[in-house]
């Protein structure tokens, strides 16, 4: 069964304290893995698409990496405005619909 | 600026009422989706459409229906609201065949059925 598991559920960091969020997935043929950011009361906002193991993408303080079993979202020297819930989703070759994780709630304290 | 709009933002309604959640996008995207999201939980796909006059059910069983008469408009209708329908409803759109830009989501409708 295709599934996505994100960890931790919540992460509290001090401003400037770098860390990583994990997205583990089981899918029969990966078409793509997606990262989104969701602020309270809003819909998810697209960040990255990763297609194959070894691929990396960066945007400001965020860097996403992909292996055959998991993806990491690395956040370097985070700021309070990086506080949000980060969602991971995968798309399988057999079914174009996205399978979503439950998200990691990231809180950055000033 | 291209965007996707959902109305209403908040809705409190009584059991048994019929409601329609509106969703419109200005990007000309062929693909549109309705998701249900509860706090701390995964997004669950309710319905999707690949274009005008195309609608499909997602994996979340629902008593809702959708229509796609115009490319830009994808309303969701609940014929008889129940307390179990209380949730956040998110509408999204994407370009056909292009994953590089992901989905664009609206801000959602928070529905409470009393």
């Amino acid at each position: 069964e295709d599934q996505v598991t994100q960890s931790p559920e919540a992460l509290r960091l001090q401003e400037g304290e770098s860390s990583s969020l994990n997205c583990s997935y089981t899918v029969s043929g990966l078409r793509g893995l997606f990262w989104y950011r969701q602020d309270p009361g809003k819909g998810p906002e697209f960040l990255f698409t990763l297609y194959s193991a070894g691929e990396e993408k960066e945007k400001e303080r965020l860097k996403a990496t992909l292996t055959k079993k998991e993806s990491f979202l690395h956040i370097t020297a985070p700021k309070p405005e990086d506080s949000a819930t980060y969602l991971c989703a995968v798309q399988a070759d057999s079914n174009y619909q996205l399978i979503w994780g439950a998200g990691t709630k990231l809180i950055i304290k000033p | 600026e291209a965007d996707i709009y959902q109305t209403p933002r908040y809705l409190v309604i009584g059991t048994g009422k019929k409601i329609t959640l509106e969703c419109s996008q200005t990007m000309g995207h062929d693909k549109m989706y309705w998701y249900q999201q509860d706090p701390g939980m995964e997004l669950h796909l309710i319905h999707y459409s690949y274009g005008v006059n195309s609608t499909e059910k997602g994996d979340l069983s629902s008593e809702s229906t959708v229509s796609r008469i115009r490319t830009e408009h994808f309303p969701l209708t609940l014929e008889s609201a129940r307390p179990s329908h209380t949730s956040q409803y998110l509408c999204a759109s994407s370009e056909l065949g292009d994953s590089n830009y992901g989905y664009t989501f609206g801000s959602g409708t928070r529905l409470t059925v009393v």
Side-chain angles (χ1 to χ4, degrees):
Chain A
E1 180 185 351
D2 299 337
Q3 66 179 27
V4 176
T5 303
Q6 291 189 246
S7 61
E9 290 185 10
L11 182 62
R12 288 172 171 78
L13 301 172
Q14 288 296 131
E15 183 173 2
E17 181 184 1
S18 301
S19 188
S20 298
L21 314 182
N22 178 263
C23 172
S24 297
Y25 64 90
T26 305
V27 66
S28 52
L30 180 70
R31 181 176 176 84
L33 184 142
F34 304 82
W35 281 99
Y36 286 79
R37 168 191 171 127
Q38 186 173 24
D39 292 302
K42 295 190 175 182
E45 176 186 350
F46 172 72
L47 293 172
F48 306 108
T49 306
L50 301 168
Y51 294 101
S52 57
E55 188 175 1
E56 299 181 351
K57 287 194 177 173
E58 288 187 64
K59 180 179 181 179
E60 296 180 358
R61 294 176 292 282
L62 299 176
K63 179 180 176 181
T65 62
L66 181 65
T67 72
K68 290 187 177 180
K69 294 182 179 180
E70 58 192 348
S71 176
F72 290 95
L73 185 65
H74 306 278
I75 182 159
T76 302
K79 299 180 178 182
E81 54 262 41
D82 294 320
S83 297
T85 295
Y86 290 85
L87 302 172
C88 171
V90 299
Q91 187 179 46
D93 279 335
S94 58
N95 181 349
Y96 284 9
Q97 302 313 324
L98 297 185
I99 303 160
W100 294 82
T104 293
K105 184 174 182 178
L106 179 65
I107 300 169
I108 308 298
K109 301 176 187 177
Chain B
E1 180 180 321
D3 214 336
I4 184 163
Y5 306 96
Q6 289 187 243
T7 57
R9 287 295 313 275
Y10 304 93
L11 179 61
V12 180
I13 200 163
T15 298
K17 299 291 186 182
K18 177 180 178 178
I19 58 172
T20 296
L21 307 184
E22 300 288 348
C23 177
S24 295
Q25 50 102 357
T26 62
M27 296 164 283
H29 286 167
D30 288 308
K31 295 167 77 171
M32 295 190 74
Y33 315 83
W34 276 104
Y35 282 94
Q36 186 172 331
Q37 185 183 34
D38 293 313
M41 302 293 290
E42 303 88 343
L43 275 71
H44 290 285
L45 183 65
I46 311 171
H47 294 279
Y48 61 99
S49 167
Y50 285 166
V52 172
N53 295 325
S54 153
T55 62
E56 301 287 344
K57 288 190 175 184
D59 46 50
L60 181 66
S61 177
S62 171
E63 294 82 25
S64 58
T65 58
V66 291
S67 62
R68 190 87 183 276
I69 299 172
R70 304 195 313 267
T71 297
E72 63 271 21
H73 193 215
F74 191 43
L76 175 78
T77 298
L78 282 169
E79 292 293 333
S80 179
R82 297 206 303 266
S84 60
H85 293 137
T86 294
S87 188
Q88 165 105 323
Y89 291 83
L90 292 165
C91 180
S93 70
S94 69
E95 294 200 21
L96 194 64
D98 188 348
S99 300
N100 287 319
Y101 301 100
Y103 292 7
T104 301
F105 282 85
S107 293
T109 293
R110 180 158 299 281
L111 173 65
T112 302
V113 183
V114 297

